[in-house]
Amino acid sequence: MGLFDRFKKDKKEKKVNEIPTEIEIPEVELQLKEIAMNSKNRNERAVAVNNITNQYVALDLAKNVKDRAIRLMAANKLEDEDLLWDAAKNSNFYDVRSFAYERLGENNKSIAEMVINQKKSPQITEIFNKIEDEETLKDIAIEAKDKKYRKEALEKISDEKILSDLVFKAKDKSIRKAAVLKDSFTDEDTLQEIVLTDSDSEVKIAAINKISDEEKLVEIAKEEDNAKIRNIIFEKITNQDLIKDIVLNSKKSDVRLDLVKIIDDEKLLSEIALSDEDSVVRSEAIKKISDEDTLVKVARSDSDRFSRQTAVKKITDADVLIDIALNDEDSFVRTHAVTNPNITSEEDFVKIAVNTAHEDIAREAMKNITSESAYVKILHDSKLASVRKDTLDNIDELKVLVEIILANKDVDFSLKALNKIDDEDIIVKIYEQNIHEDISVRCVSKIRSQSTLTDILEKDKSWRVREACVKKIVSKKVLKNVSVSDENEYVRNVAKNRIQTLS
């Protein structure tokens, strides 16, 4: 590919820095260009550029050669206005751009290139101080390398349209903010657009503080991600209908949540609690309402368990709380219902303990039950065997204990009841019912009467029962007889060991 093959013509779009391919460059010009660009001898480079006559070669050098003197010499050869504009807009070097602008009569642009691209100095400051054109000052405020020139250029601008253009183009956030704060910057449509598009919070806040149209503030608040900025907006909005519009219609849950925290309108809060799509927003609204109907609706229908929990904590209707304690699918919601201080009646706690299908809820309810009669009812009626068993620690009524044993629905439970009975006559009568071998053995272990024990030893067919008797009998005569005559070898051996123990 030749040196100029990259410069191709495109009628639809002329590429930057390209020279049309139909321009025929004499070989001698190409040779001079090669020397001007690459010779190690500066004098040779200067002589070469001095001898160049082709405008396109001169343009290429002006735009791309690193040697300042060579590129300026090349730029000085440009006479064609289009090529000068090309150099002014596209040269890689600000000195060439400045020179080209000057040749074109664009003195402000020429000066701007100098100010933009150099550090502050007395010479540049002298040039800068002469600039009055606000478009030129805008370019300096946006692009100057030296921050002081950016700031001083902005101070000299008052045209609102120029300030607006500057805010949307400047990378320096302090310049954008200072532009917004200028007294002449008053257009609220533009200020709104700045808030919606600028990346810096201080610039956004500066713009917000200058907006008085509350409807514009509403539109901003609906989209704003920064909580600090949202709160500033909310403080400026006095129309409560507009606040309602934001909290009901903003697509951002954070926006709605912030508003819920400052809203006191219970009707509006109830609407939010029942309809907001975000569970956190609903929960925050629920915390601030006392309307029982709303709380009950939330507790019974909200899909989010945390929202239901929040509502249940605030419900005062005991019947509703009982229903939730019995029927909610979430254990935490049920627990909040049963522990709600508005359930006070022991009868209500019994109802929960009897009807719940969940052991943890029954036990939570039973913490509030003190009467033995209530525990007896739970014993008889509870759906859960484990709950019925838990009542026994609180039941001492002999009749009930005997009924448990005689019913013998659960041997372990019957044995637990039997352990609470000390009346020997009752224990003997229970034994006589021959309910279960384990119960008979336990009865014998609690009998103290030697005659009764001897009688049982002689008559009972269960070797386990007879063994239990042997362990309680103290008569060596009786034990000796058992050690010789009992049909069970194990019982005989137990009797022998017992005799030795008593010796």
Side-chain angles (χ1 to χ4, degrees):
M1 180 182 289
L3 182 63
F4 287 92
D5 287 346
R6 59 191 174 91
F7 298 106
K8 294 182 179 180
K9 185 175 181 180
D10 188 332
K11 293 182 179 179
K12 293 183 179 180
E13 181 180 357
K14 188 175 180 179
K15 294 183 180 180
V16 176
N17 295 342
E18 290 190 353
I19 295 175
T21 56
E22 68 268 21
I23 301 298
E24 292 187 9
I25 309 297
E27 184 62 31
V28 65
E29 295 286 324
L30 294 177
Q31 291 174 354
L32 290 170
K33 177 179 179 294
E34 178 67 21
I35 296 169
M37 289 187 68
N38 299 315
S39 175
K40 295 182 179 180
N41 187 300
R42 190 175 190 187
N43 288 331
E44 286 183 2
R45 295 200 301 273
V47 170
V49 77
N50 230 5
N51 288 306
I52 288 173
T53 60
N54 186 280
Q55 294 274 291
Y56 290 102
V57 174
L59 174 63
D60 194 34
L61 291 171
K63 289 162 64 175
N64 299 302
V65 172
K66 294 181 179 180
D67 188 316
R68 182 172 183 272
I70 299 301
R71 63 176 178 259
L72 287 174
M73 288 173 65
N76 193 45
K77 288 181 169 287
L78 299 175
E79 300 294 338
D80 183 271
E81 186 174 339
D82 289 339
L83 297 186
L84 279 169
W85 274 112
D86 190 326
K89 291 182 177 181
N90 300 314
S91 175
N92 292 320
F93 307 97
Y94 76 86
D95 50 9
V96 171
R97 297 194 298 270
S98 177
F99 179 74
Y101 278 128
E102 183 180 3
R103 293 275 306 280
L104 289 163
E106 296 286 340
N107 293 330
N108 285 322
K109 291 183 179 294
S110 176
I111 294 171
E113 286 290 345
M114 302 299 291
V115 176
I116 287 169
N117 290 284
Q118 297 190 56
K119 289 291 184 180
K120 193 169 186 180
S121 68
Q123 295 82 0
I124 298 299
T125 300
E126 183 179 358
I127 297 172
F128 170 74
N129 289 337
K130 295 177 181 179
I131 301 174
E132 299 294 338
D133 178 69
E134 293 196 10
E135 282 288 348
T136 303
L137 290 166
K138 178 192 74 174
D139 292 341
I140 295 171
I142 294 172
E143 300 177 21
K145 291 182 178 179
D146 194 299
K147 187 172 184 177
K148 293 178 182 178
Y149 285 138
R150 295 199 298 271
K151 181 179 177 182
E152 291 174 14
L154 176 61
E155 290 173 355
K156 296 169 74 172
I157 301 172
S158 59
D159 185 283
E160 185 172 15
K161 290 184 178 180
I162 292 176
L163 288 169
S164 172
D165 192 33
L166 185 156
V167 172
F168 289 111
K169 293 180 178 178
K171 293 181 180 179
D172 186 337
K173 63 183 180 181
S174 66
I175 293 298
R176 300 200 304 274
K177 179 181 176 181
V180 168
L181 292 173
K182 297 278 281 190
D183 291 340
S184 57
F185 203 148
T186 60
D187 184 77
E188 295 200 8
D189 287 335
T190 305
L191 290 167
Q192 180 185 12
E193 187 178 354
I194 291 169
V195 180
L196 291 172
T197 59
D198 202 278
S199 60
D200 183 73
S201 61
E202 291 188 11
V203 176
K204 292 159 80 81
I205 291 170
I208 288 168
N209 287 334
K210 297 185 78 171
I211 298 174
S212 58
D213 186 330
E214 293 193 3
E215 292 188 0
K216 284 184 169 58
L217 292 172
V218 167
E219 293 307 311
I220 294 169
K222 286 180 182 179
E223 302 299 324
E224 181 54 54
D225 290 322
N226 188 301
K228 178 183 177 182
I229 293 174
R230 290 198 300 268
N231 289 330
I232 291 172
I233 294 172
F234 297 152
E235 290 175 2
K236 288 175 67 71
I237 298 174
T238 58
N239 186 326
Q240 292 305 302
D241 288 337
L242 294 178
I243 290 290
K244 180 177 180 180
D245 179 36
I246 301 174
V247 78
L248 293 180
N249 298 312
S250 174
K251 294 179 181 179
K252 294 183 178 291
S253 59
D254 287 348
V255 174
R256 303 195 302 276
L257 181 62
D258 282 349
L259 271 179
V260 165
K261 292 177 180 179
I262 63 175
I263 289 173
D264 295 319
D265 183 339
E266 179 134 342
K267 184 178 179 181
L268 178 56
L269 288 167
S270 293
E271 186 176 352
I272 296 165
L274 292 170
S275 63
D276 197 280
E277 64 182 20
D278 188 275
S279 61
V280 177
V281 177
R282 295 199 302 276
S283 291
E284 195 63 34
I286 293 164
K287 291 176 184 178
K288 299 186 70 176
I289 62 177
S290 57
D291 180 68
E292 190 84 357
D293 289 341
T294 301
L295 293 170
V296 171
K297 286 178 183 177
V298 171
R300 283 182 164 159
S301 64
D302 199 294
S303 60
D304 179 69
R305 64 188 179 113
F306 294 108
S307 296
R308 298 201 304 279
Q309 288 175 41
T310 305
V312 164
K313 290 178 183 179
K314 303 188 72 178
I315 291 173
T316 60
D317 188 317
D319 289 336
V320 172
L321 291 169
I322 292 170
D323 178 62
I324 293 169
L326 292 174
N327 297 308
D328 197 278
E329 64 184 19
D330 183 76
S331 63
F332 290 103
V333 176
R334 296 193 299 268
T335 300
H336 282 306
V338 77
T339 56
N340 186 307
N342 288 293
I343 301 181
T344 57
S345 166
E346 185 172 73
E347 182 180 352
D348 288 340
F349 287 114
V350 170
K351 184 176 180 180
I352 294 171
V354 166
N355 293 288
T356 184
H358 305 280
E359 291 182 11
D360 58 329
I361 298 303
R363 292 192 176 101
E364 195 63 51
M366 288 163 67
K367 291 178 182 179
N368 299 277
I369 297 172
T370 56
S371 68
E372 186 170 351
S373 60
Y375 280 107
V376 171
K377 180 172 178 56
I378 297 169
L379 168 69
H380 288 145
D381 299 337
S382 176
K383 294 179 178 180
L384 300 172
S386 58
V387 172
R388 294 195 297 273
K389 291 179 182 179
D390 285 346
T391 63
L392 200 55
D393 289 337
N394 298 281
I395 296 175
D396 295 310
E397 186 177 337
L398 187 58
K399 179 182 177 181
V400 176
L401 294 173
V402 172
E403 286 175 352
I404 293 170
I405 299 167
L406 295 178
N408 191 33
K409 294 180 179 179
D410 183 306
V411 174
D412 289 337
F413 190 37
S414 296
L415 290 170
K416 188 176 179 182
L418 180 58
N419 286 339
K420 300 192 74 173
I421 300 175
D422 294 321
D423 188 308
E424 191 158 330
D425 289 338
I426 299 297
I427 292 171
V428 171
K429 288 179 180 180
I430 293 171
Y431 163 78
E432 290 173 348
Q433 297 302 309
N434 194 28
I435 300 166
H436 188 280
E437 186 179 47
D438 288 346
I439 292 176
S440 296
V441 171
R442 183 66 56 83
C443 285
V444 167
S445 70
K446 293 174 72 69
I447 295 172
R448 295 182 298 277
S449 170
Q450 292 293 301
S451 60
T452 301
L453 289 168
T454 302
D455 187 53
I456 294 172
L457 177 62
E458 292 174 353
K459 296 178 180 179
D460 204 294
K461 295 181 179 182
S462 168
W463 69 266
R464 288 183 60 215
V465 173
R466 297 197 306 276
E467 176 200 4
C469 289
V470 168
K471 289 179 178 179
K472 297 281 290 186
I473 289 174
V474 296
S475 170
K476 291 182 179 180
K477 181 180 178 181
V478 173
L479 291 170
K480 185 175 181 180
N481 184 50
V482 172
S483 68
V484 174
S485 62
D486 195 278
E487 64 183 30
N488 186 280
E489 182 181 0
Y490 176 74
V491 174
R492 294 197 302 271
N493 288 331
V494 171
K496 291 175 183 178
N497 291 333
R498 177 78 171 149
I499 292 170
Q500 292 178 356
T501 301
L502 293 172
S503 297

